[in-house]
Amino acid sequence: MRIGRLNHIGIATPDIEATRDTYAALYGADAATPVKDFPKLGVKVCFVSIENTELELLQPLGPDSPVNKFLEKNPKGGQHHMCFEVDDIIAARDAMRERGATVLGTGVPYIGAHGVPVIFVHPKDTHGVLVELMAKPEH
Amino acid sequence: MRIGRLNHIGIATPDIEATRDTYAALYGADAATPVKDFPKLGVKVCFVSIENTELELLQPLGPDSPVNKFLEKNPKGGQHHMCFEVDDIIAARDAMRERGATVLGTGVPYIGAHGVPVIFVHPKDTHGVLVELMAKPEH
């Protein structure tokens, strides 16, 4: 198992609209999707297009949001995870376990904000960086 | 001024060799440069190739390293900055200031680990994310 392209950088923020507007106004990165609520994932999400990848902006939705803890530690927001595409999400999940890493949750891939199955690898396995693996979406 | 491609994600680590080896062993990202010391920048650096971008691994070099403070807050390491390419680094610097952002240091672009001029924009201007802008390198 070998990771493919960086699909996106996940960025947590306490104010997703303000952050999206900042990337447009300050950096000219003005191609962004509307903000969408994902109640099951506990986040509001929008995507900012970059020439070769995307930024996934995340704002917590609800008290059980997986992003709440990160924002408690980083109240202004910050880089939350990196997401790489893989050819086969089940094979990737199995490879993570065989190689000694901890897959978060039940380990059953679930549908993420991109509409394809994902898993997350515990940051302790990647020297403090939370890594998402995503089945390759159709581009 | 509009940012171009994501050149790299900067990742701080207390042990650069171990982190490089982890990306190879766990994720199959085994194309990496040798670790190189940049005493003037206060960091040891190596680059891990990803299909569409790079990871820039950074370990502090010396007591005045700009990465020390980050590792005090995140002892295991973590995502430290995002770096985007720009066509004209001086125009980009001027645009940052005109748009109300704070360019770190003197504001005079200096040669980074890629051998081209760079500036850094204060994380307060990008909702907690440190952003590096880099003159487009020759690919």
Side-chain angles (χ1 to χ4, degrees):
Chain A
M1 201 290 296
R2 177 187 288 268
I3 53 173
R5 62 189 295 281
L6 176 79
N7 183 278
H8 62 263
I9 303 174
I11 295 175
T13 168
D15 186 340
I16 193 167
E17 282 88 1
T19 303
R20 181 192 59 192
D21 293 349
T22 293
Y23 282 100
L26 187 56
Y27 299 112
D30 52 8
T33 63
V35 175
K36 191 173 167 185
D37 290 359
F38 289 88
K40 285 187 182 169
L41 302 176
V43 282
K44 297 157 82 85
V45 177
C46 87
F47 301 104
V48 178
S49 288
I50 302 295
E51 197 174 307
N52 56 334
T53 190
E54 282 186 338
L55 309 180
E56 179 184 74
L57 306 184
L58 300 164
Q59 182 181 327
L61 187 63
D64 300 326
S65 174
V67 188
N68 283 334
K69 197 174 158 192
F70 181 89
L71 284 181
E72 277 169 28
K73 191 177 172 193
N74 307 277
K76 293 176 183 172
Q79 288 171 251
H80 178 266
H81 68 271
M82 313 191 291
C83 175
F84 299 103
E85 298 175 6
V86 296
D87 287 328
D88 181 330
I89 192 71
I90 298 294
R93 189 267 318 268
D94 293 346
M96 289 302 102
R97 290 176 167 171
E98 282 161 19
R99 296 173 190 178
T102 298
V103 177
L104 296 186
T106 61
V108 178
Y110 61 92
I111 302 298
H114 287 74
V116 295
V118 302
I119 60 168
F120 281 87
V121 181
H122 198 291
K124 74 182 177 186
D125 298 312
T126 314
H127 304 269
V129 176
L130 176 62
V131 171
E132 180 179 12
L133 300 179
M134 164 195 280
K136 201 174 281 186
E138 305 215 350
H139 288 291
Chain B
M1 200 291 294
R2 178 186 288 268
I3 52 173
R5 63 189 294 281
L6 177 79
N7 183 279
H8 63 263
I9 302 174
I11 295 175
T13 169
D15 185 339
I16 193 166
E17 281 88 0
T19 303
R20 182 193 58 191
D21 293 349
T22 292
Y23 282 99
L26 188 55
Y27 299 112
D30 52 8
T33 64
V35 175
K36 191 173 166 185
D37 289 359
F38 290 87
K40 285 187 183 170
L41 302 176
V43 282
K44 298 157 81 84
V45 177
C46 86
F47 301 104
V48 177
S49 288
I50 303 295
E51 195 175 309
N52 56 334
T53 190
E54 282 186 338
L55 309 179
E56 179 185 74
L57 305 185
L58 300 164
Q59 182 180 329
L61 187 64
D64 301 326
S65 173
V67 188
N68 283 334
K69 196 174 157 192
F70 181 90
L71 284 181
E72 278 169 27
K73 191 178 172 194
N74 306 278
K76 293 177 183 173
Q79 292 190 68
H80 178 266
H81 67 270
M82 313 191 291
C83 176
F84 300 102
E85 298 176 6
V86 296
D87 287 328
D88 181 330
I89 192 71
I90 298 294
R93 189 267 320 267
D94 293 347
M96 289 302 104
R97 289 175 168 171
E98 282 160 20
R99 296 173 191 178
T102 299
V103 176
L104 295 186
T106 62
V108 178
Y110 61 92
I111 301 299
H114 287 74
V116 294
V118 302
I119 61 167
F120 280 87
V121 181
H122 197 291
K124 73 182 177 187
D125 298 313
T126 314
H127 304 269
V129 176
L130 176 63
V131 171
E132 179 180 14
L133 300 179
M134 164 194 280
K136 201 174 282 186
E138 305 216 349
H139 288 290

